[in-house]
């Protein structure tokens, strides 16, 4: 049995221009949250590190167990991109393997925690009832975004109702009334 992971490599020119960072996330089909694209993962990384710039994306890491790891790069149609991949691979392959081994040693299955709430806000998923979602992942994000909007609307309605309450502007009168009621006056 083997496990697959999505890998994104990025750098931050502002802080460490020579260092390449790696994020690894499960790519299995057993759970819908594991079906995120490389672009979604990069966007989530940019929440934590706004200066993150893509070095290479479209990498799938396959772990066959016993330290047997294979990296598969997304095939590029453009000759220049293929040249770049051949140039960058010797630099990022060891970094990917080292990061993966460190992750496994710590007992983790990802280096990046993805929040569905943050994704719904980040991608600002607006869809009408007539639109059909492209994927189960998009459907889950749309539902989460709708739930958050409904919750915000309920909070606003509660604030409006409390503002219209008889003693909203004069809490000391409300306190006096409650004290009189408690004393039996």
């Amino acid at each position: 049995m083997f496990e697959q992971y999505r890998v994104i490599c990025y750098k931050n020119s502002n802080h460490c221009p020579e260092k390449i960072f790696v994020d690894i996330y499960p790519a299995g089909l057993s759970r819908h949250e594991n079906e995120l694209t490389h672009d979604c993962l990069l966007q989530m990384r940019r929440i934590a590190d706004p200066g993150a710039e893509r070095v290479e994306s479209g990498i799938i890491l396959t772990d066959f167990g016993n330290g047997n790891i294979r990296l598969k790069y997304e095939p590029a149609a453009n000759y220049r991109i293929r040249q770049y991949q051949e140039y960058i691979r010797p630099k990022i392959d060891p970094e990917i393997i080292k990061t993966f081994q460190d992750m496994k040693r710590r007992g983790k299955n990802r280096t990046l925690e993805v929040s569905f709430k943050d994704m719904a806000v980040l991608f600002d998923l607006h869809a009408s009832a007539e639109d059909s979602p492209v994927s189960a992942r998009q459907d889950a994000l749309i539902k989460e975004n709708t739930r958050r909007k409904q919750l915000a609307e309920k909070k606003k309605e509660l604030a409006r109702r409390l503002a219209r309450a008889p003693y909203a502007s004069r809490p000391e009168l409300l306190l006096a009334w409650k004290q009189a009621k408690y004393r039996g006056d």
Side-chain angles (χ1 to χ4, degrees), residues 84-181:
Y84 174 75
Q85 284 178 338
E86 292 303 318
Y87 166 76
I88 200 75
R89 274 192 89 154
K91 294 180 181 180
I92 63 176
D93 283 1
E95 196 65 38
I96 292 170
I97 292 170
K98 178 182 172 284
T99 303
F100 181 74
Q101 290 170 343
D102 289 346
M103 178 186 79
K104 284 298 194 178
R105 193 174 314 113
R106 289 191 317 260
K108 303 280 185 180
N109 70 343
R110 63 194 70 191
T111 60
L112 179 66
E113 290 300 323
V114 175
S115 164
F116 298 136
K117 294 175 187 172
D118 291 342
M119 281 190 70
V121 170
L122 178 67
F123 292 109
D124 197 22
L125 294 172
H126 300 286
S128 65
E130 299 84 40
D131 294 339
S132 60
V134 177
S135 66
R137 181 78 211 111
Q138 184 182 11
D139 185 44
L141 288 172
I142 290 170
K143 287 179 181 174
E144 176 63 26
N145 194 29
T146 303
R147 188 189 69 77
R148 291 184 91 201
K149 285 180 181 178
Q150 288 172 346
L151 185 61
E153 188 58 39
K154 284 182 182 179
K155 285 183 181 179
K156 287 179 186 176
E157 178 57 34
L158 179 63
R160 283 192 291 262
R161 227 177 332 135
L162 290 175
R164 288 190 307 257
Y167 299 107
S169 62
R170 306 217 23 219
E172 65 278 358
L173 290 177
L174 179 63
L175 179 63
W177 176 76
K178 284 185 178 180
Q179 287 175 343
K181 183 179 173 187

Side-chain angles (χ1 to χ4, degrees), residues 2-13:
F2 62 91
E3 295 177 347
Q4 289 189 322
Y5 300 87
R6 293 191 195 287
V7 178
I8 58 169
C9 298
Y10 65 96
K11 64 181 179 176
N12 189 326
S13 298

Side-chain angles (χ1 to χ4, degrees), residues 71-88:
L71 296 174
K72 180 181 176 190
Y73 285 69
E74 184 176 294
N78 187 324
Y79 176 71
R80 295 245 185 226
I81 296 175
R82 285 195 306 267
Q83 278 185 321
Y84 174 75
Q85 284 178 338
E86 292 303 318
Y87 166 76
I88 200 75

Side-chain angles (χ1 to χ4, degrees), residues 40-56:
C40 288
L41 294 174
L42 183 63
Q43 291 300 326
M44 292 307 296
R45 172 46 65 194
R46 286 182 177 155
I47 289 176
D49 184 4
E53 302 168 7
R54 177 184 310 212
V55 172
E56 180 62 39

